[in-house]
Amino acid sequence: MNPGSGKNGVELIGVGKLYGSTQAVRGVSLAVREGEFLSVVGPSGCGKTTMLRMIAGFIEPDAGDVLIGGVSMKGVPVRGRRVGIVFQNYALFPNMTVRENVAFGMKVQKRPQLQIEETVASLLAMVNMADRADSYPRQLSGGQQQRVALVRALAIEPRVLLLDEPLSALDAKVRNTLRFEIKRIQRDSGITMIYVTHDQEEALSISDRVALMRGGSLEQVGTPAELYSSPASEFAADFIGVNNILRGVYEGGGKFAWNGRFFTVETPAEAERNPGARAILTIRPERLVPAEAEYDGPNALEGRVAGRIFLGPLTRVALAVDSPDGETLLLDLLNAAGESAQMGDLLKVRFAPSDAHLLF
Ligand SMILES: Nc1ncnc2c1ncn2[C@@H]1O[C@H](COP(=O)(O)OP(=O)(O)OP(=O)(O)O)[C@@H](O)[C@H]1O
Ligand SMILES: [Mg+2]
């Protein structure tokens, strides 16, 4: 028994999977705590689905081990693992009603009929589908079908629920509603959930932690705030959300040189051992704020508005900075400021040293 991940926790220890010459997953070690909501994100082909399928038991790792509740799953078939699985394409049984679909797994488990009926009723009520119990899948919308698929997976009382892009076939509004329903179900039931999505905003909005994968390996694992504010690499800085990535040189003493300018930055302790090193400064668009014309403090930049996109509550502005390389930075302005920034306008912005993140 592993006390770290709990009786319904999942632990991967050096897990790998090779397909021919493709290392789909390589040396992944990760502990998902009981009751935790972990999202897995990363570019297409980085190994998310392969990792999930190894936890479910559809494929065996060829290196390392998968533990559920501290017990090795080597040789344990899918059914013996008590994991629930929800895929992108609902995969409901087309010739069964909603009620029969949800009841199916419990029938296989040979649960008493009365208990099955009660569980089906309460699960359907939970996702607002009680009045559609006698419908067939083809009579339901995509969002409704995915609600049924979700509670069908929960009906067997899985120890872990695995979801592989469950919402990606749905339109934005339905997706938004359902992602918070999934989150609520997870909070209410305390079930461990591992949620694969290519939508990193979705991952940030509903997860306790996010695992970012790249080329079969884990690039960074942390809370949404950690991934957003303290990316561990340029890849993480670029993949999660929108970022300005400035390539320059760390001069030492909290000075970063970029395009003939010097910025004051906060540095990790080890940075002082690297003066003169090439470095990257990342600044989120919302951390670049308008400055008064007379501002002459640190970290000011001036440029012309070269593009603007209306995003509802804010306007994203592309600022062509006056520099030899003609760099463009993105900044997010709340609406009054955003509306007043017109194409070609000269704009002065600044950022706080603590709002930029230095990477080597
Ligand atoms: N059955 C298979 N046979 C051969 N190669 C495979 C197989 N399944 C996956 N791969 C390869 O393994 C790598 C990882 O695939 P995987 O499906 O895990 O990626 P993913 O992160 O889920 O991608 P996506 O976001 O597109 O769903 C890819 O290079 C893929 O081509
Ligand atoms: Mg996939």
Side-chain angles (χ1 to χ4, degrees):
M1 190 74 195
N2 184 323
S5 52
K7 73 181 194 317
N8 292 335
V10 176
E11 204 170 344
L12 306 182
I13 304 169
V15 168
K17 178 71 194 175
L18 190 67
Y19 284 118
S21 60
T22 305
Q23 189 75 53
V25 171
R26 68 179 80 212
V28 167
S29 293
L30 174 69
V32 187
R33 292 183 300 273
E34 175 172 319
E36 186 172 21
F37 193 116
L38 178 100
S39 287
V40 182
V41 298
S44 183
C46 72
K48 304 180 295 294
T49 294
T50 305
M51 185 168 99
L52 214 65
R53 292 175 73 82
M54 287 191 284
I55 298 169
F58 293 117
I59 47 179
E60 282 289 323
D62 43 37
D65 202 1
V66 174
L67 282 65
I68 300 180
V71 177
S72 169
M73 292 292 115
K74 274 204 180 101
V76 179
V78 177
R79 203 172 266 176
R81 299 189 182 196
R82 267 188 53 215
V83 292
I85 305 152
V86 184
F87 296 113
Q88 174 183 342
N89 53 349
Y90 335 120
L92 296 175
F93 304 119
N95 55 341
M96 291 185 194
T97 63
V98 164
R99 185 197 314 282
E100 288 161 351
N101 263 283
V102 179
F104 181 80
M106 291 185 285
K107 283 196 172 136
V108 172
Q109 291 176 331
K110 300 203 186 330
R111 299 233 210 127
Q113 185 58 29
L114 190 64
Q115 191 198 359
I116 293 178
E117 279 167 26
E118 283 173 4
T119 306
V120 170
S122 75
L123 285 172
L124 289 179
M126 187 164 81
V127 289
N128 257 322
M129 290 291 292
D131 56 342
R132 304 304 300 270
D134 296 313
S135 301
Y136 285 88
R138 63 173 183 279
Q139 299 170 314
L140 304 177
S141 72
Q144 290 167 334
Q145 289 183 55
Q146 203 55 315
R147 285 191 167 89
V148 176
L150 186 64
V151 292
R152 184 181 63 169
L154 288 170
I156 61 159
E157 292 182 5
R159 303 197 288 172
V160 182
L161 188 63
L162 306 173
L163 305 106
D164 194 354
E165 310 221 12
L167 308 181
S168 56
L170 306 171
D171 72 59
K173 206 167 168 75
V174 177
R175 202 162 66 218
N176 207 30
T177 314
L178 267 184
R179 74 166 66 130
F180 287 104
E181 258 175 61
I182 291 173
K183 179 66 188 170
R184 177 177 55 81
I185 289 169
Q186 189 266 340
R187 210 183 293 120
D188 291 352
S189 63
I191 192 172
T192 310
M193 281 197 194
I194 303 180
Y195 187 98
V196 169
T197 174
H198 64 259
D199 182 341
Q200 35 91 9
E201 262 177 47
E202 185 164 280
L204 293 179
S205 65
I206 58 178
S207 314
D208 296 317
R209 281 191 306 158
V210 177
L212 172 62
M213 286 184 82
R214 176 194 194 184
S217 306
L218 287 178
E219 180 83 0
Q220 186 173 6
V221 184
T223 63
E226 281 165 357
L227 264 87
Y228 192 79
S229 309
S230 311
S233 61
E234 180 179 352
F235 177 81
D238 193 38
F239 191 84
I240 304 287
V242 176
N243 230 330
N244 291 296
I245 295 180
L246 282 57
R247 284 166 219 288
V249 170
Y250 181 64
E251 302 275 346
K255 285 262 168 278
F256 178 79
W258 178 75
N259 261 316
R261 297 176 172 76
F262 290 97
F263 296 134
T264 303
V265 296
E266 283 188 354
T267 52
E270 71 270 22
E272 290 313 330
R273 293 197 293 271
N274 291 319
R278 281 176 190 284
I280 288 165
L281 193 68
T282 68
I283 314 166
R284 295 285 178 190
E286 71 275 17
R287 298 298 183 179
L288 281 170
V289 296
E292 303 294 326
E294 53 272 18
Y295 174 81
D296 64 353
N299 300 353
L301 279 160
E302 230 170 7
R304 294 220 176 252
V305 176
R308 54 200 300 281
I309 315 169
F310 179 69
L311 293 175
L314 48 84
T315 300
R316 181 159 295 160
V317 169
L319 194 69
V321 179
D322 175 26
S323 76
D325 292 352
E327 305 247 9
T328 299
L329 300 180
L330 296 176
L331 51 133
D332 286 348
L333 299 174
L334 285 170
N335 263 336
E339 276 155 30
S340 66
Q342 293 302 320
M343 292 292 283
D345 282 0
L346 194 63
L347 209 61
K348 190 172 187 176
V349 295
R350 63 187 173 87
F351 62 92
S354 58
D355 284 342
H357 182 69
L358 189 68
L359 285 167
F360 289 97

